[in-house]
Amino acid sequence: MRSWHASEVPSLSDAGLPAAERPLGLYDTGTGATRPTLPGGPRDGAAARMYVCGITPYDATHIGHANTYLAFDLVNRVWRDLGHDVHYVQNATDVDDPLLERARETGEDWRALADREIELFRADMTALRILPPDRYIGAVEAIPLVIEMIEKLRGRDAAYDVDGDVYFPVAADPGFGGVSRLTRAEMAPLFAERGGDPDRPGKRDPLDALLWLRRARTSPAGTRRSGRAARAGTWSARRSPSSTWGWRSTSRAAARTWRSRTTR
């Protein structure tokens, strides 16, 4: 997926302003303290890696999106001014329940809807002079990698089936909850409010997160899969990109369990 055009990045030192003489520090939710974002001192040439969660393109972006991407743009620019080589990746969730639901409501093809809103997002980012990511990745094009990573989790007993859907057991992550520092009692209602399914029968733990949805609640055409077609939707049968519109990933905990391959 293509990104957007980059604006010119001025050098603070060239503009007569002294460059920072210490690493960028940010507040770490997990530790409750501010700490350097990169090891070592300034101007040491260390590579910086940044992943920013992108939009689900079912509607126009708004001021909240601008706030998010401006904040990360500042991090990007400070790192660059300190001499770091920044590797920036951002995604676009170009298949998900909100997108399919909006397409069904309006009668528009879900792909066309996603394409239009992503193009609008590009225009907004260009107007705001947000530096583009090195890799702008759509969820659909990343599905083969997602499948590969889930299979690796299976090999570590860190994924299991519930009626054909695949879940990540939070017990497989020793650090689960370490970032939010929430108790299980606090997590449960938030998990339900934000798309989780804590009450689903067959799950090992109510907080286990969905990695792969066997079939969408409704298809892009507005109909449910049923009968033999649904029963045939096994894990091995869903490796074809043409039949992967039902994929959905909701697990940040699982993402910390593997190291994803990235290329430039």
Side-chain angles (χ1 to χ4, degrees), residues 61-226:
T61 49
H62 49 69
I63 194 66
H65 294 108
N67 178 68
T68 296
Y69 301 114
L70 278 169
F72 285 105
D73 190 61
L74 286 173
V75 173
N76 191 356
R77 289 172 182 267
V78 170
W79 274 342
R80 289 173 183 268
D81 193 61
L82 285 170
H84 298 293
D85 183 16
V86 181
H87 301 270
Y88 175 19
V89 178
Q90 185 180 140
N91 79 298
T93 309
D94 54 352
V95 58
D96 201 2
D97 287 344
L99 175 62
L100 300 181
E101 290 166 3
R102 179 62 58 85
R104 186 176 69 253
E105 292 168 1
T106 61
E108 185 175 8
D109 183 272
W110 64 280
R111 301 171 187 85
L113 173 60
D115 289 345
R116 185 181 73 248
E117 298 303 341
I118 290 172
E119 186 57 36
L120 178 59
F121 176 73
R122 292 189 186 102
D124 289 341
M125 295 298 100
T126 301
L128 291 169
R129 298 177 64 84
I130 303 296
L131 297 180
D134 301 290
R135 299 283 290 177
Y136 191 41
I137 309 296
V140 171
E141 66 183 293
I143 284 175
L145 179 60
V146 172
I147 293 174
E148 179 184 341
M149 295 299 104
I150 292 176
E151 288 177 336
K152 289 183 178 180
L153 286 176
R154 284 181 178 278
R156 301 176 186 178
D157 194 28
Y160 67 95
D161 290 354
V162 177
D163 299 327
D165 297 338
V166 184
Y167 281 85
F168 172 79
V170 294
D173 181 3
F176 177 73
V179 174
S180 68
R181 297 190 294 172
L182 297 175
T183 66
R184 287 184 61 88
E186 293 170 323
M187 290 181 191
L190 290 174
F191 184 57
E193 290 171 8
R194 299 175 184 180
D197 53 358
D199 298 325
R200 180 172 183 179
K203 292 177 62 175
R204 298 178 185 174
D205 187 301
L207 295 177
D208 286 352
L210 183 67
L211 291 174
W212 184 276
L213 189 64
R214 180 185 179 188
R215 64 176 186 177
R217 293 175 178 85
T218 56
S219 75
T223 58
R224 289 182 178 273
R225 291 187 175 186
S226 61

Side-chain angles (χ1 to χ4, degrees), residues 221-249:
T223 58
R224 289 182 178 273
R225 291 187 175 186
S226 61
R228 180 173 298 179
R231 291 193 295 273
T234 61
W235 176 254
S236 59
R238 292 192 55 81
R239 296 186 182 184
S240 169
S242 64
S243 63
T244 51
W245 54 263
W247 168 78
R248 182 183 179 194
S249 176

Side-chain angles (χ1 to χ4, degrees), residues 36-49:
T37 55
L38 294 170
R43 305 290 180 186
D44 62 2
R49 302 175 69 84

